[in-house]
Amino acid sequence: MIKAIYQIQKSQGAAALWKGFTCHMMMEGLQLSTDSCISHVTDLPKELPSLKEGIPKFAGYTTLKVLSTILTLPIFSAVLLDTVQSESARQTQLHPCPVSRMLSTGLLAEVLHFNTDY
């Protein structure tokens, strides 16, 4: 593993190991904020309940995570697609991070690919 990291750093520079960090942190923040909003509106528990609290609390927690995943899945998909793009295709985009690109071009246009200027 260390040899592979060394080879990546040698060929692409030290920044190569940190390229996706910003987008990853933005996606974690989006997931947490979505969980928080859903929990605030529906009173579903954000924290994983203990076994002593019973199955209904666990079912509520699972429901919260499922709803949150459904709402953030289009953005996660765009991030995944951007991750596997080639470097030449990445150079033609307006923003290196798909989350910031969605914020600047509009979420619906990004998800449905109506915006062709990137």
Side-chain angles (χ1 to χ4, degrees), residues 73-83 98 101-102 110-111:
L73 192 59
I75 298 171
F76 283 144
S77 300
V79 170
L80 177 64
L81 289 174
D82 189 63
T83 302
R101 185 173 61 242
M102 281 184 219
E110 177 67 25
V111 172

Side-chain angles (χ1 to χ4, degrees), residues 13-112:
L17 301 175
W18 296 95
K19 284 181 183 176
F21 184 72
T22 305
C23 283
H24 174 74
M25 294 309 290
M26 289 174 76
M27 294 307 301
E28 287 295 320
L30 178 67
Q31 185 75 36
L32 287 174
S33 61
T34 305
D35 285 350
S36 182
C37 289
I38 293 172
S39 177
H40 181 71
V41 170
T42 62
D43 292 329
L44 294 172
K46 283 192 298 189
E47 302 296 325
L48 183 62
S50 66
L51 294 175
K52 295 176 186 175
E53 295 181 57
I55 293 177
K57 288 276 189 183
F58 181 75
Y61 172 79
T62 305
T63 303
L64 171 74
K65 291 299 181 180
V66 167
L67 289 173
S68 177
T69 302
I70 288 171
L71 291 175
T72 57
L73 192 59
I75 298 171
F76 283 144
S77 300
V79 170
L80 177 64
L81 289 174
D82 189 63
T83 302
V84 297
Q85 273 185 339
S86 68
E87 189 63 32
S88 62
R90 187 174 289 135
Q91 292 173 354
T92 62
Q93 296 174 352
L94 294 175
H95 301 283
C97 178
V99 175
S100 61
R101 185 173 61 242
M102 281 184 219
L103 293 175
S104 68
T105 61
L107 176 62
L108 186 60
E110 177 67 25
V111 172
L112 299 177

